[in-house]
Amino acid sequence: MKLYYADTTVAVALIIALKEADLPCELVRVDFAAGDQTKPEFLAINPRGRVPALVTKQGILTETGALLDYIHALAPEAGLVPEDPFQAAKMWEMMYYLASTWHVNHAHGGHGERWADNKASHDDMHRKAPENMRACCAYVEETLLKGPFLLGDRFSLADAYLYVVSGWLKDNKIDVADYPKLTALREEMEKRASVQAVIAAGMM
Ligand SMILES: N[C@@H](CCC(=O)N[C@@H](CS)C(=O)NCC(=O)O)C(=O)O
């Protein structure tokens, strides 16, 4: 398998999950600063110009949630998804929330051009993003996150996802210390070899 990723992006959650599952995978860094995600070579992999993209023997897969589920399916013995159906659904609840709301709210802060053409509109979205991200943090902190991991004492795929996207809060000038459970999750994650490896590689 070959995973296309860029540093600090949601694709790093896949790298953490691959390490947790002990699955071999070639990593291909897409240089966003050089605009490699917009070049024909990468668009042939993912025409939307986004990471992550995973090349498998059967074809190419995109979308973080689908890829995380694929990693679990390849290595169920790693126990990255709870066996209990309710607990598994709680994990998916967080992952769908991160994909559909957290990630999208964050993107409004720096990628207003995806939704509007006028600079004034981009500036307005940029100003509004911290408020929306604070609402996301409060919802995760007060409603979803049990602590220290999402589901309590056991690690699951959603923790890798939340760890990576909560690293983006500094872009919104939000101090994660304002959210004690989120802070505890980040500390717990940073004790894991998988996370230490991505930090050491400069991916976070
Ligand atoms: N829905 C996709 C979103 C992927 C996505 O937007 N990735 C960002 C990085 S976090 C990206 O590739 N951005 C390209 C760019 O900014 O040009 C997923 O969850 O995998």
Side-chain angles (χ1 to χ4, degrees):
M1 295 192 294
K2 209 191 258 194
L3 177 71
Y4 288 79
Y5 79 98
D7 295 335
T8 75
T9 66
V10 70
V12 179
L14 267 306
I15 300 174
I16 295 172
L18 284 162
K19 289 181 187 301
E20 292 283 344
D22 203 17
L23 286 174
C25 185
E26 183 186 338
L27 300 181
V28 183
R29 185 170 172 272
V30 180
D31 187 346
F32 277 15
D36 286 356
Q37 75 276 29
T38 63
K39 294 183 179 159
E41 296 79 6
F42 183 66
L43 295 179
I45 304 291
N46 183 0
R48 289 182 298 113
R50 304 285 180 95
V51 293
L54 185 73
V55 180
T56 78
K57 270 191 266 178
Q58 290 168 281
I60 295 171
L61 289 168
T62 61
E63 292 300 321
T64 304
L67 292 180
L68 287 170
D69 194 31
Y70 184 61
I71 290 170
H72 160 64
L74 292 178
E77 67 286 353
L80 302 181
V81 176
E83 279 174 21
D84 176 78
F86 182 80
Q87 293 300 316
K90 289 304 285 181
M91 185 200 81
W92 284 109
E93 176 184 39
M94 173 67 99
M95 306 232 295
Y96 280 114
Y97 179 73
L98 295 179
S100 65
T101 305
W102 183 298
H103 195 154
V104 176
N105 281 348
H106 178 264
H108 276 74
H111 287 287
E113 77 285 355
R114 291 180 187 163
W115 290 278
D117 293 324
N118 294 330
K119 176 149 187 329
S121 306
H122 304 164
D123 292 346
D124 205 14
M125 283 185 249
H126 180 76
R127 275 191 299 272
K128 181 82 177 170
E131 180 189 327
N132 286 337
M133 292 312 298
R134 281 198 176 282
C136 287
C137 290
Y139 177 62
V140 165
E141 179 86 6
E142 291 158 22
T143 308
L144 296 181
L145 186 53
K146 265 190 170 174
F149 295 115
L150 167 68
L151 302 172
D153 290 335
R154 84 180 305 288
F155 170 84
S156 71
L157 292 174
D159 298 304
Y161 205 149
L162 182 56
Y163 175 73
V164 171
V165 300
S166 61
W168 301 343
L169 292 170
K170 48 187 175 304
D171 302 342
N172 308 110
K173 308 268 182 291
I174 294 175
D175 185 353
V176 77
D178 294 346
Y179 302 93
K181 284 181 168 175
L182 212 39
T183 301
L185 173 121
R186 293 188 59 77
E187 286 169 0
E188 206 55 44
M189 287 297 289
E190 284 167 5
K191 293 179 190 162
R192 299 179 82 83
S194 58
V195 173
Q196 287 169 5
V198 296
I199 293 172
M203 294 173 181
M204 280 301 296

